[in-house]
Amino acid sequence: MKKLFLISFLCSSMACMAQNKTQTVRELFKSMPDSLVSYLSTNNRLDMIDFMDAKMKAVVTNSLGGETEMVFLSDDSLVVKMNESCLLSMKTMQVDTAMVVVLRRTYYTKRNQYEVVSQTFNSYWLPLSKPVIESTLLKRDDDLRNLPHF
């Protein structure tokens, strides 16, 4: 009877630990839906993580024929240079008992203008918020409109 009780106790405690295990940004990046990074396949994402683990340059050819590079990877965040004008960053946070993923896409122009689209997701990639857009593009248009014309 004691052995049965001990075995059941160990099994239930292991199940609780498995449920409380927080996912790393690596696991979340691997399971990210293709719709969020449309021209970066699952194999590309896996290759970049493997290259970073091997301390190699993590560059892959995306489906558009361009180069995509992972420039930073830790247990809770990563940064991927999608192309010359787009940077993707991911950060994971523990909020109460839930895992929250913050995904930011920053788009740059040649004139030092940018647009940042931020959105939060749960660990199953279900949106927790609507996308929030920060932009200098419209501000520059307003500045140009206010210039004196000849």
Side-chain angles (χ1 to χ4, degrees), residues 126-145:
L126 297 173
L128 299 175
S129 69
K130 292 182 179 180
V132 176
I133 299 173
E134 305 167 35
S135 179
T136 61
L137 298 176
L138 295 176
K139 181 179 180 345
R140 178 156 169 84
D141 289 345
D142 290 341
D143 291 344
L144 288 175
R145 279 191 210 115

Side-chain angles (χ1 to χ4, degrees), residues 61-114:
T61 302
N62 58 43
S63 63
L64 297 177
E67 288 188 347
T68 298
E69 178 181 8
M70 183 179 287
V71 293
F72 179 77
L73 177 66
S74 69
D75 288 338
D76 66 345
S77 61
L78 64 80
V79 177
V80 176
K81 184 179 176 187
M82 299 297 287
N83 55 37
E84 294 80 30
S85 61
C86 180
L87 192 70
L88 175 103
S89 58
M90 242 173 82
K91 174 87 172 139
T92 59
M93 295 181 244
Q94 193 74 27
V95 177
D96 296 328
T97 60
M99 175 68 69
V100 174
V101 180
V102 179
L103 186 68
R104 289 178 56 129
R105 282 178 241 130
T106 307
Y107 302 97
Y108 297 99
T109 67
K110 292 181 180 179
R111 294 186 180 164
N112 294 329
Q113 297 173 330
Y114 64 89

Side-chain angles (χ1 to χ4, degrees), residues 30 40 123:
K30 291 176 188 178
L40 198 59
S123 60

